[in-house]
Amino acid sequence: MHIITISREFGSGGRELGKRLADALGFDYYDREIITAIAAAKGLDERYVSHTLEHHGWQNIPLNFRSSFTGFPPPSSIQTDLLLAQKQVIEEIAKAGKDCVIVGRNADVLLKDYNPFNLFVCAQMETRVRRCMERASESEDLSQKELEKRIRRMDKIRAQTRQLLTASPWGQAHTYDLVINTTTWDIKTLTPAVAQFAQLWFRRNQL
Amino acid sequence: MHIITISREFGSGGRELGKRLADALGFDYYDREIITAIAAAKGLDERYVSHTLEHHGWQNIPLNFRSSFTGFPPPSSIQTDLLLAQKQVIEEIAKAGKDCVIVGRNADVLLKDYNPFNLFVCAQMETRVRRCMERASESEDLSQKELEKRIRRMDKIRAQTRQLLTASPWGQAHTYDLVINTTTWDIKTLTPAVAQFAQLWFRRNQL
C-alpha cells in the first residue's frame, strides 16, 4: 500500500495538487472526506466539526514553545474528542490498505509507521494571494491585505496545531521527503512531475 | 539554455546528485571547476583559493544578523577579490549559454536572471554522518562526534556566506524551487526522479 501525505501553506495549491495526484496515480483521495467521517461517527454537523478543529483558540499564543503543551490552554473536551476521532479516522484509512493521498491533518506524523511519501507545498505570498483571489466566491470580496492576513492566520493555526499534537515542526525541510515551491508552477503542469517522483519513491527499495 | 543550481547541506549527497544529474541530462557540471578557473585567472594555488573562500573567519559570529554586513568583520581584500572572481566565473559560465549544473557558491542567487531550477538538498544528521564516513579517506579517522561537529561547522559557514553575500536565507523552503530530503534515498536511485522533475520544470512554460 502506498500513502502520500500533503502538508501545505494556505493558498499554495497543495489541495489541488493532492486531488490531481490522486487522479493521476489512481489513488483514493482524503481531505474533507475525513471531516464527513468524523461528523457521521459523532452525529455532528460537518461545519461544526470543521470549525471546531480549525478554530481551537491556540492561534493567539506566541509560537515559541517547543514540542510541549506548556503555555497552551488545554483543548476543550469536545476539541480533544474531535482530534482523537480525526486520528482514528486517519488510522482507519491506512488500515484499509488502499493507495491514497491524504491532505493535511498531520497524517504524515500519525501514519509514520506506514512509511508514507510526505510532501510539503509552499509558495511565495503574492502567488498565494492570487490563488486565493481566483478561487474566492463573489461574496468574499477581500482586499489583498485582508487576504494576506487570513493566509498568515491559517499558516499560524496549522503550525500551532502541529506543534501541539506532534513533536515535528511544520514546514521545515527535514520533516518532509520533498518540499515543492509552487510559485512559478501551474498546478496542473506540476502534477506529472510530482507523480513521477512519487512513483520512483515507492519503487526505490526494489531498485 | 537550462541551468540547475544545487545548494546542499554538508554530507547530504548534493554534490553526487549534481554530478549524476549532469550525466543523466547531458549537462555540463561545475563544482571544483570554478575553483580551478579562479586559481588559473589569478595565478594562485587551487587549495589556497578553496581554503580562503571557505574559511573566511565569519563562522564564529552568531547567526542572527539579517541581510546586512552589520557586525561582520569586513572580508580581507584577498577574500573580496576571490569572491568577486568567483562571481565573475559563474556569470561567464551562464553567458556561455550551455546547459549546466552548478553546485554551491550561491549560483542560484547570482544567476537569478537566467531563471535557473534551484534545488536544495538536505538529510538527517545520521545519514550525513554515514555518507561522510563512507567517502572519507583512511587517513581521516574521525569519530561520529567529530564528524557531526565538522558537518555543523560546514553548514554554518555556508549559511553565513550566503547571508553575507545575498539577501536570501540558506536552506529555507521558499528560497528554492525544490527541497529534497535524501535521508532514505540512495543518490543513484534518486537521480532519475529529479532529472524528470527538472525536465518538466524547463518545459513547463511551453505546456
Side-chain angles (χ1 to χ4, degrees):
Chain A
M1 182 203 24
H2 304 141
I3 299 175
I4 298 175
T5 74
I6 299 190
S7 309
R8 77 289 184 210
E9 291 181 339
F10 192 75
S12 65
R15 174 180 288 180
E16 182 186 342
L17 177 63
K19 186 81 191 75
R20 288 185 181 276
L21 263 185
D23 287 346
L25 295 167
F27 282 24
D28 287 347
Y29 172 78
Y30 294 98
D31 177 13
R32 293 285 311 177
E33 293 75 3
I34 294 167
I35 300 294
T36 308
I38 300 169
K42 297 283 171 189
L44 293 168
D45 179 73
E46 281 189 33
R47 280 166 304 178
Y48 172 78
V49 171
S50 175
H51 189 270
T52 307
L53 283 170
E54 278 189 354
H55 298 78
H56 43 52
W58 306 320
Q59 52 269 28
N60 296 320
I61 298 159
L63 192 56
N64 56 3
F65 302 96
R66 294 274 164 241
S67 327
S68 109
F69 278 77
T70 323
F72 286 104
S76 71
S77 66
I78 177 68
Q79 282 164 342
T80 309
D81 196 38
L82 290 181
L83 284 166
L84 285 173
Q86 179 169 271
K87 183 170 182 282
Q88 204 177 338
V89 167
I90 290 171
E91 285 167 353
E92 276 164 13
I93 291 169
K95 276 185 203 142
K98 290 181 68 185
D99 296 343
C100 62
V101 174
I102 305 178
V103 174
R105 300 160 218 289
N106 300 302
D108 56 323
V109 180
L110 291 174
L111 301 182
K112 66 174 188 301
D113 292 345
Y114 292 86
N115 194 23
F117 179 49
N118 299 316
L119 300 178
F120 186 81
V121 184
C122 66
Q124 281 172 10
M125 183 55 82
E126 306 90 87
T127 311
R128 297 160 68 192
V129 169
R130 183 176 48 72
R131 286 217 179 94
C132 287
M133 281 183 166
E134 283 166 7
R135 75 181 183 202
S137 62
E138 285 189 14
S139 60
E140 283 186 302
D141 193 13
L142 294 176
S143 70
Q144 177 151 344
K145 220 163 194 171
E146 286 164 329
L147 266 174
E148 273 195 40
K149 206 174 153 190
R150 178 188 282 194
I151 288 172
R152 287 191 208 285
R153 183 179 163 84
M154 288 303 296
D155 282 356
K156 200 172 167 186
I157 291 178
R158 286 178 185 171
Q160 287 183 329
T161 307
R162 188 175 184 93
Q163 201 161 24
L164 188 68
L165 300 179
T166 81
S168 159
W170 184 77
Q172 285 188 18
H174 284 101
T175 309
Y176 307 94
D177 298 306
L178 196 66
V179 180
I180 302 167
N181 185 340
T182 62
T183 301
T184 66
W185 285 97
D186 159 70
I187 303 295
K188 189 178 166 188
T189 314
L190 170 65
T191 304
V194 185
Q196 287 173 351
F197 203 106
Q199 281 168 324
L200 263 168
W201 164 271
F202 291 121
R203 278 177 51 215
R204 78 194 188 290
N205 291 330
Q206 298 131 46
L207 291 172
Chain B
M1 181 201 26
H2 304 141
I3 299 175
I4 298 175
T5 74
I6 299 190
S7 309
R8 78 288 185 211
E9 291 181 339
F10 192 76
S12 66
R15 174 180 287 180
E16 182 186 343
L17 177 62
K19 187 82 193 72
R20 288 186 180 276
L21 263 184
D23 287 346
L25 295 166
F27 282 24
D28 287 346
Y29 173 77
Y30 295 99
D31 177 13
R32 291 288 310 179
E33 294 75 2
I34 294 168
I35 300 294
T36 308
I38 300 169
K42 296 284 172 188
L44 292 168
D45 179 74
E46 281 190 33
R47 279 165 304 178
Y48 172 77
V49 171
S50 174
H51 189 270
T52 308
L53 283 170
E54 278 189 355
H55 298 77
H56 43 51
W58 305 320
Q59 53 268 30
N60 297 319
I61 299 159
L63 191 57
N64 55 1
F65 302 96
R66 292 275 164 239
S67 326
S68 109
F69 278 77
T70 324
F72 285 105
S76 72
S77 65
I78 177 69
Q79 281 166 342
T80 310
D81 196 40
L82 291 181
L83 285 167
L84 285 173
Q86 180 169 271
K87 183 170 182 284
Q88 206 177 338
V89 166
I90 290 171
E91 284 167 354
E92 276 164 13
I93 290 169
K95 276 185 203 140
K98 291 181 68 185
D99 295 345
C100 62
V101 175
I102 305 178
V103 173
R105 301 160 218 289
N106 300 300
D108 56 325
V109 179
L110 291 173
L111 301 182
K112 66 174 188 299
D113 292 346
Y114 292 86
N115 195 21
F117 179 48
N118 299 316
L119 299 179
F120 186 81
V121 183
C122 67
Q124 281 172 9
M125 182 55 82
E126 306 89 87
T127 310
R128 296 160 69 193
V129 168
R130 184 178 46 72
R131 286 216 180 95
C132 287
M133 281 184 165
E134 282 165 7
R135 76 183 183 201
S137 61
E138 286 189 14
S139 60
E140 283 187 302
D141 193 14
L142 294 177
S143 70
Q144 176 151 344
K145 220 164 196 171
E146 286 165 329
L147 266 174
E148 273 196 42
K149 205 174 153 190
R150 178 189 281 194
I151 288 171
R152 288 191 208 283
R153 184 180 164 86
M154 288 304 296
D155 283 356
K156 199 172 170 187
I157 291 178
R158 286 178 186 169
Q160 287 183 331
T161 307
R162 188 174 185 93
Q163 200 160 24
L164 188 69
L165 300 178
T166 81
S168 160
W170 184 77
Q172 286 188 16
H174 283 101
T175 309
Y176 307 94
D177 299 305
L178 195 67
V179 179
I180 302 166
N181 184 341
T182 62
T183 300
T184 66
W185 284 97
D186 160 70
I187 303 295
K188 189 177 167 190
T189 313
L190 170 64
T191 304
V194 184
Q196 287 173 350
F197 202 106
Q199 281 168 325
L200 264 167
W201 164 271
F202 290 121
R203 278 176 51 214
R204 78 193 188 289
N205 292 330
Q206 299 131 44
L207 290 173

